[in-house]
Amino acid sequence: MSRPVTAFDEIDLASSLTRRQRGLVYLAIAANIAEFFDMFLIGFAVSLLAAPWRLTGFETGTILACSGLGTVLGAIGWGRVADRFGRKRAHTASILMFTVFTAACVLVPERGWILLALLRALVGAGVGGLNITSIPYVQEFVPARSRGFLSGLASVFIPIGLFLGAMAQRFLGDLIGWRGLVALGIIPIVLLYWWRKVPESPRYLMEAGRHDEARRALAWALEVDERDLAPLPEIEKKKAPSYREIFRAYPRSLIVVASGSFAFILGSFTVQSWGQTLLKDAYGFSAAMVGTLFMLVSVADLAGRLLSAWLADRIGRRPTMFGFGLIGAGGCLLAAAATSGDEGWVFFAGIVVVMTFGDGAFGVLNSFGAEQFPTSVRTSGLGLGYGIGSVAKIIGPGLMGLMIGGGYVTQEVSKDAVRPAFILFAVLLALGGLVYLGAWETRGRRLEKL
C-alpha cells in the first residue's frame, strides 16, 4: 500500500517554484552577499587606519583575527538558537546583531583599536549566523530534487560581496574614508523589512508541535488556500538536544562536517587571504594588476560555486565534493611549482584553479553539511561542525604569515614559503574531498528521511 501524500510531498511534487519560494532564495542570497561585503570592507578600512593610528602588526592582526574568532563563535551559537527558537528568528537576529555592531564601529574614537577589535568580534558573531541559519531555512521550503542547488545558491553568490567591496574601496575609499566604508556595512539592515514578511520554517514548526502555523507556512510558500493542502505528516514533537547529546548521537556527521570544513577552509581561504600579497611582493605584479587579476579570481570562484551547487543535484553531493577537492589540490600543486620570478603567471593559474574548485566547493559544502543532521538538530549540528572547522580561518592566515616571516603589516615576502605552503594546502584539499566520501549521500532524499 502506497504512502498517502502529505503537505510536504506537495512541495516535492510541484513542477516549479512559486514566486514566494524564489523570493526566499533571493533573500538568503542577499544576506550572504552582505556578509562578505562587510568582511572585505573591514580589511581595507584597517589598512587605511594603519598609518594614522600608528598600528603595529600585532594590533592590526588582532583586529582582523577577532572578526574570524567571532565568526566561529557565531556559527556555533546561532545554530543552537535556530533549533530552539526558529530559523527565521535566528537569522533576523544575526542580521540585526552584525549591523548594530557595525554601526558602533563607526563611532570608535581615534586609536581605539582594542574597542574596534572587540566590536569586530561581535560583528563576526552576527555574521557567523547568516549562512548557518539561511541554508537550512531554504532547504526546508524547497523540493528535494533541487534542494542542493537552491540551498547552495545562498553561498554561490558570496563572491559578489567581495566584488562590491572592491568597487566601494576603489570609488568611495578616498571620498568617505574608513568610517564611511565601515558604515556601508549597515545597509543590510534593510533586509529585515522583507524577512519579517516571510513565515517560519514549516519543518521547524512541525518539530516544535506548532502544526497550525506549519500549515499556514506551507500554504504561504505554495501560494494555495490552507484548506486545499494535504494533511501534515505525523512528526513527533522534539526538544532540541544539548551539544553533548549531538556529540553522542551524531559523531559521524560532526566529524565529517568539522574536519571537511577545516580542510577546505584552510586549503582555500588561506590562498584567498594571502594570494594578493604573494602576487605583488613575491612575483612582482603591480598593485593595479593584482587588483585586476583578483577580479577575475572572484568570477572564477563564483563560477565554481555555481557548478558545485548544480552538480550536487546531478551526480550527488559526495562525488562533487571529492572531485572539487582533488582538482583544487591540483591547483595548489601547480602554484607550488612556480618557484622563480618569471613564473608568476603559473602561480596565478594555480590560484584560479584553487579558487574555482577548492573554494568553489562552498557552493555545496554547507548545504551538504546541513543535510547530515535531522530537522531537530539541523542548524545546531551544522553550526557546531562548521564552527569547529572555521578555526582554520584563524590558523591558516597566521600559519602562512609564520612561514613567510614578518607581521601582518610588514612582511618580508619571498617565494621560499610557496612550495611547502601550497603542498600543504594540496594535501588538505585532497583529504577534505576524501572526508566527504564518508558523509551520508542525500541527493533527492526527503528531509524527513535524513
Side-chain angles (χ1 to χ4, degrees), residues 10 30 102 109 126 140 149 206 245-246 293 305 321 325 388 402 405 423:
E10 292 185 340
T102 294
E140 292 167 6
F149 178 71
M206 283 290 293
E245 292 172 320
I246 293 175
L293 292 178
R305 288 173 181 241
M321 291 300 299
I388 294 171
L402 288 173
I423 289 175

Side-chain angles (χ1 to χ4, degrees), residues 204-383:
Y204 163 78
L205 293 170
M206 283 290 293
E207 293 280 346
R210 296 154 60 181
H211 294 189
D212 291 343
E213 293 177 70
R215 285 188 64 83
R216 288 195 292 271
L218 286 167
W220 178 90
L222 292 170
E223 298 181 13
V224 299
D225 191 295
E226 185 181 337
R227 293 169 295 183
D228 296 331
L229 278 177
L232 291 171
E234 293 293 328
I235 297 178
E236 180 184 356
K237 179 179 178 180
K238 297 178 182 177
K239 180 180 178 181
S242 65
Y243 282 130
R244 178 182 297 178
E245 292 172 320
I246 293 175
F247 274 107
R248 179 185 57 80
Y250 308 101
R252 174 176 171 178
S253 298
L254 273 177
I255 291 171
V256 166
V257 175
S259 59
S261 297
F262 182 89
F264 272 90
I265 291 171
L266 190 58
S268 61
F269 180 81
T270 307
V271 175
Q272 177 181 324
S273 59
W274 274 97
Q276 293 144 304
T277 299
L278 290 170
L279 281 171
K280 178 178 177 292
D281 296 336
Y283 291 96
F285 287 92
S286 68
M289 177 60 76
V290 170
T292 300
L293 292 178
F294 260 76
M295 290 180 69
L296 298 175
V297 168
S298 69
V299 174
D301 188 3
L302 190 153
R305 288 173 181 241
L306 188 62
L307 178 62
S308 68
W310 181 79
L311 286 174
D313 286 325
R314 297 301 183 277
I315 66 173
R317 278 67 154 155
R318 293 197 302 184
T320 298
M321 291 300 299
F322 179 64
F324 271 57
L326 288 187
I327 299 174
C332 289
L333 294 177
L334 178 62
T339 56
S340 62
D342 58 356
E343 293 180 337
W345 288 108
V346 175
F347 180 75
F348 173 69
I351 286 180
V352 171
V353 175
V354 174
M355 295 304 292
T356 303
F357 294 94
D359 202 64
F362 283 83
V364 66
L365 185 145
N366 273 337
S367 58
F368 190 24
E371 291 172 340
Q372 298 303 299
F373 302 92
T375 299
S376 61
V377 294
R378 183 159 297 127
T379 55
S380 295
L382 174 62

Side-chain angles (χ1 to χ4, degrees), residues 78-288:
W78 286 114
R80 176 69 169 157
V81 170
D83 276 336
R84 293 198 64 181
F85 302 104
R87 282 69 161 125
K88 177 186 171 181
R89 284 185 179 180
H91 190 74
T92 53
S94 63
I95 292 175
L96 184 62
M97 181 177 186
F98 98 76
T99 53
V100 166
F101 286 108
T102 294
C105 290
V106 179
L107 305 177
V108 171
E110 295 297 311
R111 280 288 300 164
W113 72 270
I114 294 178
L115 177 59
L116 182 60
L118 292 174
L119 289 173
R120 288 308 303 179
L122 293 170
V123 171
V127 167
L130 294 179
N131 206 243
I132 296 303
T133 56
S134 63
I135 286 178
Y137 185 79
V138 170
Q139 287 176 329
E140 292 167 6
F141 268 107
V142 298
R145 66 178 180 278
S146 54
R147 189 177 62 237
F149 178 71
L150 293 172
S151 59
L153 286 178
S155 299
V156 163
F157 292 97
I158 279 176
I160 292 178
L162 302 176
F163 186 84
L164 293 175
M167 295 289 286
Q169 165 192 333
R170 180 174 180 181
F171 295 109
L172 298 176
D174 293 337
L175 182 64
I176 62 179
W178 78 268
R179 294 185 192 272
L181 285 174
V182 171
L184 293 176
I186 304 171
I187 294 174
I189 201 168
V190 301
L191 292 172
L192 295 181
Y193 173 78
W194 285 281
W195 275 110
R196 70 181 185 85
K197 294 177 175 290
V198 301
E200 181 54 83
S201 159
R203 286 180 163 92
Y204 163 78
L205 293 170
M206 283 290 293
E207 293 280 346
R210 296 154 60 181
H211 294 189
D212 291 343
E213 293 177 70
R215 285 188 64 83
R216 288 195 292 271
L218 286 167
W220 178 90
L222 292 170
E223 298 181 13
V224 299
D225 191 295
E226 185 181 337
R227 293 169 295 183
D228 296 331
L229 278 177
L232 291 171
E234 293 293 328
I235 297 178
E236 180 184 356
K237 179 179 178 180
K238 297 178 182 177
K239 180 180 178 181
S242 65
Y243 282 130
R244 178 182 297 178
E245 292 172 320
I246 293 175
F247 274 107
R248 179 185 57 80
Y250 308 101
R252 174 176 171 178
S253 298
L254 273 177
I255 291 171
V256 166
V257 175
S259 59
S261 297
F262 182 89
F264 272 90
I265 291 171
L266 190 58
S268 61
F269 180 81
T270 307
V271 175
Q272 177 181 324
S273 59
W274 274 97
Q276 293 144 304
T277 299
L278 290 170
L279 281 171
K280 178 178 177 292
D281 296 336
Y283 291 96
F285 287 92
S286 68

